[in-house]
Amino acid sequence: MSARELHLNAFLMGVGHHEAAWRHPRADPRALDEVAHFQHLARIAERGTFDSVFLADGVQIWGDVRHTAANRFEPITLLTAISQATERIGLIATASTGFSEPYNLARLFSSLDHISGGRAGWNIVTTAGDRSAQNFNREVNFDHAERYQRADEFLDVTTALWDSWEDDALVVDRESGVFADDAKVHEINHKGRFFSVRGPLNAVRAPQGRPLLVQAGSSEDGKEFASAWAEAVFTAHQAHGDATAFYADLKRRVTARGRDADDVKVLPGIVPVLGGTEAEARALAEELDGLIIPVRAVRQLTELIGVDLTDHPLDERLPEFPPVSQVNGAKSRFELVRDLAQRERLTLRQLLGRLGGGRGHQVVAGTPEQIADHVELWFTTGAADGFNVMAPLLPSGLEDFVDHVVPLLRARGLFRTEYTGRTLREHYGLPRPVSRYAAASLI
Amino acid sequence: MSARELHLNAFLMGVGHHEAAWRHPRADPRALDEVAHFQHLARIAERGTFDSVFLADGVQIWGDVRHTAANRFEPITLLTAISQATERIGLIATASTGFSEPYNLARLFSSLDHISGGRAGWNIVTTAGDRSAQNFNREVNFDHAERYQRADEFLDVTTALWDSWEDDALVVDRESGVFADDAKVHEINHKGRFFSVRGPLNAVRAPQGRPLLVQAGSSEDGKEFASAWAEAVFTAHQAHGDATAFYADLKRRVTARGRDADDVKVLPGIVPVLGGTEAEARALAEELDGLIIPVRAVRQLTELIGVDLTDHPLDERLPEFPPVSQVNGAKSRFELVRDLAQRERLTLRQLLGRLGGGRGHQVVAGTPEQIADHVELWFTTGAADGFNVMAPLLPSGLEDFVDHVVPLLRARGLFRTEYTGRTLREHYGLPRPVSRYAAASLI
């Protein structure tokens, strides 16, 4: 067995992951609407031989439009544009199972995978909150359990559609006029609770067979879904102990389903705030936190955890939180915030400062050595297979990570010095799925 | 008033518009899955200062998968990739109002318009046929009238979403922390028969305000829809008299709605089969027709007109057609085919030959001079504002048109010698729409 390899994903969040990044002099907020900005970021990550870049997404405006950099490109089109400015790096887009049709979304990801030469990944989200539902003909969103039931069926359908053309279905014999072997192009004839889809897809099988499947739900439903479908998991932990417990639990669920534990990569988020000295890094973190606008942050927190805190006085201790069963938002994020607030007896203002850098993800401020130590510790002690790197400022924070942290990780033998694969699956060391129809035909 | 200007759109249909193109030695059928092929085509059209390129689309496999080049990229992603390989040419994608959500489709086109710097266009289709519906949870498609009612409401919603951020909504004042003027970002609060959408869109207004709206329905419902919404109309005519009648009728409907007749460009399809001599051109046309596979062509015809002809003997005269009111397919295409078959008393095989080159669009085989004469005649006699150019073979047929026909059109003062605008709307000489919310705020 070859040495275990670290995996790094660059989370491209506008002009920086810190919620106040756009106010900082090292960010250019007008770049949010410039495709060249995102292509530049992806090229930096590719120079650092990252496995992939990732674009989050939502189907509503997040936060308070007055104080939030709320505008965004649709991610599959933006990644398509990025694919034309890069050669190797993987391209992961969030898309929701709540408000799309499987046939449409299967086509978009298949097309991205074809266009990029096998670099597409899908971060599967179910989308909490009524505000999104109200853009899609519903007053109230599906509840948490139903969202995951729908997601599960959505994956049944999309994976079948991606398999519907076997790899060798194309014949292209000019002489006989046979373009495809129709015995290798399959109707999927799905009839379920949420969807009825006949198929086949109107595209040949994509270079990766299916896009890499990524997932970030950490609730009970989320972990079950991840163990069934995910090949990489984005997750948020503040403490090493929570991370190792999550890691072990998820791998156990994966093997319980008969899958190989290595076939799901666990990538906690990390917000690396880098400085030449630790003091310099802490000063940058404080400078960014000082730019947070409380009214905006409270609204975002309310959206994030599904508990309304807009009328709570900033300098008073946080109230008792409701039971998680009453929360129809992202349950795992709710629990993380609740535990942090209660453990440290935080006021609302203190909590906002703790969350502003990474919305629940761990902020690590320090020198490149300190960041590399953190990465190595988590990677070698059962807390992570890699990291979802969330630079607080973009592009500068990503440049700093690539120029100063990546060389240390390489020198320690933890991270690749060049790409050995061509596709996103190859970067993550994951197999290319065989079409279910091809497998059946072998019996 | 400046001289009236011809408009040319390059319809990029795989490796050629002729249904048997992929069997011809001058086409490379493997190019169908190569993004570089389509980028190359767009660069040829851009060299010819075409207004735009266009990708058709459907949400099912068209035709018989055994004999049809049925695989295709999803067009919005493919045009995004093309945008990175071109600078000026417009990018028009078909998308259906039947099987998408307005919020999702509005985002995709907004994103394409941002990424391309204002070059996006949407060819609006309603999608006939049960086979497509069966990929979207329905056994039977909506009927013709309902499809257009849904399309009408779909446009109400998407145009409102594109308007939901006024052009000057962004403030981006780092000092005060005001990112956007929330009085200029509007909920649309649409509640209709088919859709309920709160808005706003989560993207700033696109360079063109809204993508160019294109439409191709020629039925009564289709023409009414076009007169309300379309800015360019793709249409199919075999005869000059039919074309002038359609042109006059459509412009009349447009002005009856209080719009300027010039604000809708009428672009009939033309399949130019080019040769150094007329005999050479006719030989190429015959060579292509000889490659048609009858069983495949019959199935495509059946899909096109919504009348099942699969059991009709090839060399027998066509039967009486049912009344158009019983047809739930593309009504105008049905009428065109019926009239052609009855006027010329065609057998099924003869009809297939007449349609194989352009699926109802006019095939003109001749020298560059003859093609230019045809274009000039139709343009100057009230039949066309320009043409949807459907090269029978790609790239060679498009190259021939750009290298040999375009120079003649330029020499005659009919067509631009260089781009004067940056956006697709500017190429077509169409205004940039003001946000409906900005207009209201002026009262």
mmCIF file of all heavy atoms in Angstrom, chain A residues 119-158:
data_model
loop_
_atom_site.group_PDB
_atom_site.id
_atom_site.type_symbol
_atom_site.label_atom_id
_atom_site.label_comp_id
_atom_site.label_asym_id
_atom_site.label_seq_id
_atom_site.Cartn_x
_atom_site.Cartn_y
_atom_site.Cartn_z
ATOM 1 N N ARG A 119 -13.446 16.440 -14.690
ATOM 2 C CA ARG A 119 -13.062 17.135 -13.457
ATOM 3 C C ARG A 119 -14.251 17.597 -12.615
ATOM 4 O O ARG A 119 -14.082 18.365 -11.675
ATOM 5 C CB ARG A 119 -12.154 18.321 -13.815
ATOM 6 C CG ARG A 119 -10.853 17.870 -14.477
ATOM 7 C CD ARG A 119 -9.852 19.000 -14.601
ATOM 8 N NE ARG A 119 -10.094 19.851 -15.752
ATOM 9 C CZ ARG A 119 -9.899 21.170 -15.784
ATOM 10 N NH1 ARG A 119 -9.499 21.799 -14.693
ATOM 11 N NH2 ARG A 119 -10.101 21.861 -16.891
ATOM 12 N N ALA A 120 -15.457 17.114 -12.935
ATOM 13 C CA ALA A 120 -16.651 17.624 -12.255
ATOM 14 C C ALA A 120 -16.922 16.917 -10.933
ATOM 15 O O ALA A 120 -16.746 15.703 -10.808
ATOM 16 C CB ALA A 120 -17.874 17.472 -13.157
ATOM 17 N N GLY A 121 -17.377 17.690 -9.949
ATOM 18 C CA GLY A 121 -17.855 17.152 -8.685
ATOM 19 C C GLY A 121 -19.118 17.875 -8.266
ATOM 20 O O GLY A 121 -19.306 19.048 -8.593
ATOM 21 N N TRP A 122 -19.978 17.155 -7.558
ATOM 22 C CA TRP A 122 -21.249 17.716 -7.128
ATOM 23 C C TRP A 122 -21.317 17.673 -5.606
ATOM 24 O O TRP A 122 -21.319 16.585 -5.032
ATOM 25 C CB TRP A 122 -22.408 16.920 -7.732
ATOM 26 C CG TRP A 122 -23.779 17.295 -7.246
ATOM 27 C CD1 TRP A 122 -24.170 18.455 -6.639
ATOM 28 C CD2 TRP A 122 -24.972 16.484 -7.331
ATOM 29 N NE1 TRP A 122 -25.519 18.427 -6.353
ATOM 30 C CE2 TRP A 122 -26.030 17.232 -6.758
ATOM 31 C CE3 TRP A 122 -25.236 15.219 -7.848
ATOM 32 C CZ2 TRP A 122 -27.336 16.735 -6.690
ATOM 33 C CZ3 TRP A 122 -26.530 14.726 -7.769
ATOM 34 C CH2 TRP A 122 -27.572 15.481 -7.207
ATOM 35 N N ASN A 123 -21.375 18.826 -4.981
ATOM 36 C CA ASN A 123 -21.667 18.895 -3.554
ATOM 37 C C ASN A 123 -23.179 18.921 -3.384
ATOM 38 O O ASN A 123 -23.834 19.910 -3.691
ATOM 39 C CB ASN A 123 -21.038 20.137 -2.925
ATOM 40 C CG ASN A 123 -21.384 20.247 -1.451
ATOM 41 O OD1 ASN A 123 -21.327 19.256 -0.724
ATOM 42 N ND2 ASN A 123 -21.751 21.435 -0.998
ATOM 43 N N ILE A 124 -23.703 17.812 -2.903
ATOM 44 C CA ILE A 124 -25.146 17.594 -2.838
ATOM 45 C C ILE A 124 -25.710 18.262 -1.586
ATOM 46 O O ILE A 124 -25.319 17.919 -0.477
ATOM 47 C CB ILE A 124 -25.446 16.080 -2.770
ATOM 48 C CG1 ILE A 124 -24.768 15.342 -3.921
ATOM 49 C CG2 ILE A 124 -26.939 15.824 -2.738
ATOM 50 C CD1 ILE A 124 -24.517 13.865 -3.627
ATOM 51 N N VAL A 125 -26.610 19.210 -1.768
ATOM 52 C CA VAL A 125 -27.292 19.793 -0.609
ATOM 53 C C VAL A 125 -28.795 19.626 -0.771
ATOM 54 O O VAL A 125 -29.307 19.480 -1.886
ATOM 55 C CB VAL A 125 -26.950 21.298 -0.419
ATOM 56 C CG1 VAL A 125 -25.454 21.489 -0.203
ATOM 57 C CG2 VAL A 125 -27.447 22.136 -1.593
ATOM 58 N N THR A 126 -29.488 19.619 0.373
ATOM 59 C CA THR A 126 -30.944 19.441 0.330
ATOM 60 C C THR A 126 -31.671 20.772 0.487
ATOM 61 O O THR A 126 -32.848 20.842 0.180
ATOM 62 C CB THR A 126 -31.419 18.485 1.441
ATOM 63 O OG1 THR A 126 -31.164 19.096 2.710
ATOM 64 C CG2 THR A 126 -30.690 17.147 1.362
ATOM 65 N N THR A 127 -30.977 21.801 0.963
ATOM 66 C CA THR A 127 -31.493 23.173 1.098
ATOM 67 C C THR A 127 -32.566 23.316 2.171
ATOM 68 O O THR A 127 -33.717 22.920 1.982
ATOM 69 C CB THR A 127 -32.038 23.730 -0.241
ATOM 70 O OG1 THR A 127 -31.055 23.559 -1.239
ATOM 71 C CG2 THR A 127 -32.387 25.201 -0.126
ATOM 72 N N ALA A 128 -32.137 23.884 3.294
ATOM 73 C CA ALA A 128 -33.066 24.178 4.394
ATOM 74 C C ALA A 128 -33.665 25.569 4.212
ATOM 75 O O ALA A 128 -33.147 26.389 3.472
ATOM 76 C CB ALA A 128 -32.309 24.096 5.719
ATOM 77 N N GLY A 129 -34.755 25.814 4.900
ATOM 78 C CA GLY A 129 -35.278 27.179 5.004
ATOM 79 C C GLY A 129 -36.423 27.471 4.055
ATOM 80 O O GLY A 129 -36.410 27.068 2.897
ATOM 81 N N ASP A 130 -37.384 28.204 4.569
ATOM 82 C CA ASP A 130 -38.564 28.525 3.763
ATOM 83 C C ASP A 130 -38.259 29.558 2.699
ATOM 84 O O ASP A 130 -38.915 29.600 1.656
ATOM 85 C CB ASP A 130 -39.683 29.047 4.665
ATOM 86 C CG ASP A 130 -40.136 27.982 5.664
ATOM 87 O OD1 ASP A 130 -39.944 26.784 5.371
ATOM 88 O OD2 ASP A 130 -40.663 28.358 6.722
ATOM 89 N N ARG A 131 -37.280 30.403 2.957
ATOM 90 C CA ARG A 131 -36.992 31.472 2.010
ATOM 91 C C ARG A 131 -36.607 30.917 0.637
ATOM 92 O O ARG A 131 -37.002 31.457 -0.394
ATOM 93 C CB ARG A 131 -35.862 32.341 2.585
ATOM 94 C CG ARG A 131 -35.607 33.630 1.859
ATOM 95 C CD ARG A 131 -36.807 34.557 1.951
ATOM 96 N NE ARG A 131 -36.740 35.559 0.912
ATOM 97 C CZ ARG A 131 -36.501 36.855 1.124
ATOM 98 N NH1 ARG A 131 -36.333 37.311 2.340
ATOM 99 N NH2 ARG A 131 -36.454 37.693 0.118
ATOM 100 N N SER A 132 -35.837 29.836 0.625
ATOM 101 C CA SER A 132 -35.516 29.202 -0.663
ATOM 102 C C SER A 132 -36.761 28.589 -1.292
ATOM 103 O O SER A 132 -37.011 28.745 -2.494
ATOM 104 C CB SER A 132 -34.456 28.106 -0.474
ATOM 105 O OG SER A 132 -33.221 28.664 -0.100
ATOM 106 N N ALA A 133 -37.542 27.903 -0.459
ATOM 107 C CA ALA A 133 -38.758 27.259 -0.978
ATOM 108 C C ALA A 133 -39.668 28.272 -1.662
ATOM 109 O O ALA A 133 -40.343 27.956 -2.652
ATOM 110 C CB ALA A 133 -39.495 26.556 0.160
ATOM 111 N N GLN A 134 -39.677 29.498 -1.114
ATOM 112 C CA GLN A 134 -40.561 30.530 -1.665
ATOM 113 C C GLN A 134 -40.126 31.012 -3.045
ATOM 114 O O GLN A 134 -40.881 31.713 -3.724
ATOM 115 C CB GLN A 134 -40.659 31.695 -0.665
ATOM 116 C CG GLN A 134 -41.493 31.285 0.561
ATOM 117 C CD GLN A 134 -41.244 32.144 1.774
ATOM 118 O OE1 GLN A 134 -40.621 33.200 1.682
ATOM 119 N NE2 GLN A 134 -41.732 31.697 2.923
ATOM 120 N N ASN A 135 -38.962 30.657 -3.476
ATOM 121 C CA ASN A 135 -38.568 30.905 -4.870
ATOM 122 C C ASN A 135 -38.979 29.760 -5.789
ATOM 123 O O ASN A 135 -38.739 29.816 -6.995
ATOM 124 C CB ASN A 135 -37.062 31.150 -4.954
ATOM 125 C CG ASN A 135 -36.667 32.483 -4.347
ATOM 126 O OD1 ASN A 135 -37.444 33.436 -4.369
ATOM 127 N ND2 ASN A 135 -35.469 32.564 -3.797
ATOM 128 N N PHE A 136 -39.591 28.730 -5.200
ATOM 129 C CA PHE A 136 -39.944 27.526 -5.960
ATOM 130 C C PHE A 136 -41.338 27.028 -5.589
ATOM 131 O O PHE A 136 -41.531 25.856 -5.284
ATOM 132 C CB PHE A 136 -38.895 26.436 -5.716
ATOM 133 C CG PHE A 136 -37.549 26.806 -6.246
ATOM 134 C CD1 PHE A 136 -36.653 27.534 -5.471
ATOM 135 C CD2 PHE A 136 -37.190 26.475 -7.535
ATOM 136 C CE1 PHE A 136 -35.417 27.908 -5.968
ATOM 137 C CE2 PHE A 136 -35.956 26.842 -8.045
ATOM 138 C CZ PHE A 136 -35.073 27.560 -7.268
ATOM 139 N N ASN A 137 -42.293 27.955 -5.573
ATOM 140 C CA ASN A 137 -43.713 27.591 -5.537
ATOM 141 C C ASN A 137 -44.196 27.018 -4.208
ATOM 142 O O ASN A 137 -45.289 26.475 -4.141
ATOM 143 C CB ASN A 137 -44.056 26.579 -6.656
ATOM 144 C CG ASN A 137 -43.395 26.952 -7.964
ATOM 145 O OD1 ASN A 137 -43.373 28.129 -8.321
ATOM 146 N ND2 ASN A 137 -42.842 25.991 -8.666
ATOM 147 N N ARG A 138 -43.378 27.105 -3.150
ATOM 148 C CA ARG A 138 -43.796 26.571 -1.854
ATOM 149 C C ARG A 138 -43.693 27.674 -0.804
ATOM 150 O O ARG A 138 -42.739 28.434 -0.788
ATOM 151 C CB ARG A 138 -42.899 25.411 -1.418
ATOM 152 C CG ARG A 138 -42.862 24.249 -2.387
ATOM 153 C CD ARG A 138 -41.898 23.173 -1.881
ATOM 154 N NE ARG A 138 -42.389 22.572 -0.667
ATOM 155 C CZ ARG A 138 -43.192 21.519 -0.628
ATOM 156 N NH1 ARG A 138 -43.559 20.929 -1.742
ATOM 157 N NH2 ARG A 138 -43.614 21.039 0.523
ATOM 158 N N GLU A 139 -44.657 27.736 0.110
ATOM 159 C CA GLU A 139 -44.550 28.673 1.227
ATOM 160 C C GLU A 139 -43.577 28.152 2.269
ATOM 161 O O GLU A 139 -42.826 28.908 2.885
ATOM 162 C CB GLU A 139 -45.933 28.904 1.872
ATOM 163 C CG GLU A 139 -46.784 29.938 1.153
ATOM 164 C CD GLU A 139 -46.090 31.293 1.034
ATOM 165 O OE1 GLU A 139 -45.640 31.815 2.055
ATOM 166 O OE2 GLU A 139 -45.979 31.796 -0.114
ATOM 167 N N VAL A 140 -43.642 26.834 2.480
ATOM 168 C CA VAL A 140 -42.865 26.194 3.538
ATOM 169 C C VAL A 140 -42.023 25.097 2.896
ATOM 170 O O VAL A 140 -42.493 24.389 2.008
ATOM 171 C CB VAL A 140 -43.824 25.589 4.586
ATOM 172 C CG1 VAL A 140 -43.045 24.847 5.666
ATOM 173 C CG2 VAL A 140 -44.701 26.685 5.196
ATOM 174 N N ASN A 141 -40.799 24.985 3.348
ATOM 175 C CA ASN A 141 -39.913 23.967 2.776
ATOM 176 C C ASN A 141 -40.339 22.572 3.237
ATOM 177 O O ASN A 141 -41.052 22.421 4.218
ATOM 178 C CB ASN A 141 -38.478 24.247 3.231
ATOM 179 C CG ASN A 141 -37.444 23.696 2.257
ATOM 180 O OD1 ASN A 141 -37.707 22.731 1.538
ATOM 181 N ND2 ASN A 141 -36.282 24.297 2.226
ATOM 182 N N PHE A 142 -39.909 21.569 2.510
ATOM 183 C CA PHE A 142 -40.008 20.188 2.983
ATOM 184 C C PHE A 142 -39.340 20.099 4.353
ATOM 185 O O PHE A 142 -38.364 20.803 4.619
ATOM 186 C CB PHE A 142 -39.258 19.242 2.036
ATOM 187 C CG PHE A 142 -39.678 19.310 0.609
ATOM 188 C CD1 PHE A 142 -38.878 19.944 -0.331
ATOM 189 C CD2 PHE A 142 -40.861 18.720 0.175
ATOM 190 C CE1 PHE A 142 -39.246 20.000 -1.661
ATOM 191 C CE2 PHE A 142 -41.234 18.775 -1.163
ATOM 192 C CZ PHE A 142 -40.426 19.418 -2.076
ATOM 193 N N ASP A 143 -39.801 19.210 5.229
ATOM 194 C CA ASP A 143 -39.103 19.071 6.507
ATOM 195 C C ASP A 143 -37.813 18.270 6.314
ATOM 196 O O ASP A 143 -37.555 17.720 5.245
ATOM 197 C CB ASP A 143 -40.020 18.508 7.600
ATOM 198 C CG ASP A 143 -40.367 17.049 7.387
ATOM 199 O OD1 ASP A 143 -39.603 16.308 6.737
ATOM 200 O OD2 ASP A 143 -41.431 16.642 7.889
ATOM 201 N N HIS A 144 -37.018 18.245 7.375
ATOM 202 C CA HIS A 144 -35.660 17.698 7.298
ATOM 203 C C HIS A 144 -35.645 16.261 6.759
ATOM 204 O O HIS A 144 -34.907 15.929 5.831
ATOM 205 C CB HIS A 144 -35.047 17.761 8.706
ATOM 206 C CG HIS A 144 -33.574 17.567 8.751
ATOM 207 N ND1 HIS A 144 -32.985 16.319 8.840
ATOM 208 C CD2 HIS A 144 -32.552 18.450 8.701
ATOM 209 C CE1 HIS A 144 -31.671 16.466 8.873
ATOM 210 N NE2 HIS A 144 -31.372 17.744 8.784
ATOM 211 N N ALA A 145 -36.492 15.400 7.320
ATOM 212 C CA ALA A 145 -36.496 13.991 6.902
ATOM 213 C C ALA A 145 -36.914 13.855 5.438
ATOM 214 O O ALA A 145 -36.309 13.104 4.664
ATOM 215 C CB ALA A 145 -37.439 13.189 7.799
ATOM 216 N N GLU A 146 -37.937 14.616 5.065
ATOM 217 C CA GLU A 146 -38.429 14.522 3.686
ATOM 218 C C GLU A 146 -37.375 15.034 2.699
ATOM 219 O O GLU A 146 -37.245 14.517 1.593
ATOM 220 C CB GLU A 146 -39.733 15.315 3.555
ATOM 221 C CG GLU A 146 -40.450 15.048 2.242
ATOM 222 C CD GLU A 146 -41.852 15.640 2.201
ATOM 223 O OE1 GLU A 146 -42.165 16.480 3.079
ATOM 224 O OE2 GLU A 146 -42.616 15.268 1.293
ATOM 225 N N ARG A 147 -36.639 16.062 3.106
ATOM 226 C CA ARG A 147 -35.578 16.560 2.234
ATOM 227 C C ARG A 147 -34.566 15.462 1.924
ATOM 228 O O ARG A 147 -34.109 15.322 0.790
ATOM 229 C CB ARG A 147 -34.864 17.752 2.876
ATOM 230 C CG ARG A 147 -35.687 19.007 2.947
ATOM 231 C CD ARG A 147 -34.833 20.279 2.965
ATOM 232 N NE ARG A 147 -33.776 20.235 3.949
ATOM 233 C CZ ARG A 147 -33.910 20.597 5.233
ATOM 234 N NH1 ARG A 147 -35.089 21.008 5.689
ATOM 235 N NH2 ARG A 147 -32.881 20.555 6.045
ATOM 236 N N TYR A 148 -34.228 14.678 2.941
ATOM 237 C CA TYR A 148 -33.251 13.612 2.710
ATOM 238 C C TYR A 148 -33.843 12.430 1.951
ATOM 239 O O TYR A 148 -33.156 11.775 1.171
ATOM 240 C CB TYR A 148 -32.601 13.180 4.027
ATOM 241 C CG TYR A 148 -31.429 14.084 4.350
ATOM 242 C CD1 TYR A 148 -31.564 15.154 5.222
ATOM 243 C CD2 TYR A 148 -30.203 13.904 3.714
ATOM 244 C CE1 TYR A 148 -30.509 16.013 5.474
ATOM 245 C CE2 TYR A 148 -29.144 14.757 3.959
ATOM 246 C CZ TYR A 148 -29.293 15.811 4.834
ATOM 247 O OH TYR A 148 -28.243 16.666 5.065
ATOM 248 N N GLN A 149 -35.130 12.160 2.163
ATOM 249 C CA GLN A 149 -35.769 11.105 1.360
ATOM 250 C C GLN A 149 -35.772 11.500 -0.117
ATOM 251 O O GLN A 149 -35.487 10.692 -1.004
ATOM 252 C CB GLN A 149 -37.198 10.863 1.860
ATOM 253 C CG GLN A 149 -37.248 10.163 3.228
ATOM 254 C CD GLN A 149 -38.524 10.474 3.992
ATOM 255 O OE1 GLN A 149 -39.512 10.966 3.422
ATOM 256 N NE2 GLN A 149 -38.513 10.202 5.287
ATOM 257 N N ARG A 150 -36.086 12.758 -0.340
ATOM 258 C CA ARG A 150 -36.078 13.246 -1.722
ATOM 259 C C ARG A 150 -34.662 13.194 -2.306
ATOM 260 O O ARG A 150 -34.460 12.798 -3.448
ATOM 261 C CB ARG A 150 -36.616 14.690 -1.740
ATOM 262 C CG ARG A 150 -36.715 15.296 -3.111
ATOM 263 C CD ARG A 150 -37.265 16.736 -3.032
ATOM 264 N NE ARG A 150 -36.863 17.473 -4.205
ATOM 265 C CZ ARG A 150 -37.667 17.784 -5.221
ATOM 266 N NH1 ARG A 150 -38.925 17.428 -5.202
ATOM 267 N NH2 ARG A 150 -37.200 18.448 -6.264
ATOM 268 N N ALA A 151 -33.682 13.581 -1.495
ATOM 269 C CA ALA A 151 -32.296 13.561 -1.965
ATOM 270 C C ALA A 151 -31.868 12.141 -2.337
ATOM 271 O O ALA A 151 -31.191 11.920 -3.340
ATOM 272 C CB ALA A 151 -31.370 14.129 -0.892
ATOM 273 N N ASP A 152 -32.265 11.193 -1.510
ATOM 274 C CA ASP A 152 -31.903 9.808 -1.753
ATOM 275 C C ASP A 152 -32.470 9.334 -3.101
ATOM 276 O O ASP A 152 -31.755 8.735 -3.917
ATOM 277 C CB ASP A 152 -32.481 8.964 -0.609
ATOM 278 C CG ASP A 152 -31.634 7.755 -0.321
ATOM 279 O OD1 ASP A 152 -30.417 7.923 -0.104
ATOM 280 O OD2 ASP A 152 -32.199 6.651 -0.329
ATOM 281 N N GLU A 153 -33.729 9.650 -3.335
ATOM 282 C CA GLU A 153 -34.331 9.248 -4.609
ATOM 283 C C GLU A 153 -33.714 10.031 -5.767
ATOM 284 O O GLU A 153 -33.529 9.499 -6.872
ATOM 285 C CB GLU A 153 -35.855 9.456 -4.555
ATOM 286 C CG GLU A 153 -36.546 8.802 -5.739
ATOM 287 C CD GLU A 153 -38.052 8.978 -5.719
ATOM 288 O OE1 GLU A 153 -38.662 9.008 -4.628
ATOM 289 O OE2 GLU A 153 -38.624 9.091 -6.826
ATOM 290 N N PHE A 154 -33.400 11.293 -5.518
ATOM 291 C CA PHE A 154 -32.763 12.126 -6.544
ATOM 292 C C PHE A 154 -31.453 11.478 -7.005
ATOM 293 O O PHE A 154 -31.136 11.442 -8.200
ATOM 294 C CB PHE A 154 -32.498 13.513 -5.949
ATOM 295 C CG PHE A 154 -32.315 14.631 -6.942
ATOM 296 C CD1 PHE A 154 -33.307 15.584 -7.119
ATOM 297 C CD2 PHE A 154 -31.154 14.740 -7.677
ATOM 298 C CE1 PHE A 154 -33.152 16.629 -8.022
ATOM 299 C CE2 PHE A 154 -30.983 15.788 -8.579
ATOM 300 C CZ PHE A 154 -31.975 16.726 -8.752
ATOM 301 N N LEU A 155 -30.703 10.920 -6.047
ATOM 302 C CA LEU A 155 -29.440 10.257 -6.395
ATOM 303 C C LEU A 155 -29.671 8.941 -7.117
ATOM 304 O O LEU A 155 -28.907 8.593 -8.024
ATOM 305 C CB LEU A 155 -28.593 10.048 -5.138
ATOM 306 C CG LEU A 155 -27.591 11.162 -4.800
ATOM 307 C CD1 LEU A 155 -26.410 11.151 -5.759
ATOM 308 C CD2 LEU A 155 -28.239 12.540 -4.798
ATOM 309 N N ASP A 156 -30.708 8.200 -6.720
ATOM 310 C CA ASP A 156 -31.062 6.999 -7.475
ATOM 311 C C ASP A 156 -31.245 7.349 -8.952
ATOM 312 O O ASP A 156 -30.755 6.652 -9.841
ATOM 313 C CB ASP A 156 -32.385 6.395 -6.966
ATOM 314 C CG ASP A 156 -32.222 5.612 -5.677
ATOM 315 O OD1 ASP A 156 -31.097 5.147 -5.395
ATOM 316 O OD2 ASP A 156 -33.230 5.467 -4.955
ATOM 317 N N VAL A 157 -31.958 8.436 -9.201
ATOM 318 C CA VAL A 157 -32.295 8.805 -10.576
ATOM 319 C C VAL A 157 -31.060 9.330 -11.321
ATOM 320 O O VAL A 157 -30.760 8.892 -12.433
ATOM 321 C CB VAL A 157 -33.420 9.862 -10.610
ATOM 322 C CG1 VAL A 157 -33.716 10.267 -12.047
ATOM 323 C CG2 VAL A 157 -34.676 9.332 -9.937
ATOM 324 N N THR A 158 -30.344 10.248 -10.712
ATOM 325 C CA THR A 158 -29.222 10.855 -11.443
ATOM 326 C C THR A 158 -28.127 9.835 -11.722
ATOM 327 O O THR A 158 -27.563 9.822 -12.821
ATOM 328 C CB THR A 158 -28.652 12.079 -10.701
ATOM 329 O OG1 THR A 158 -28.430 11.753 -9.334
ATOM 330 C CG2 THR A 158 -29.585 13.256 -10.783
#
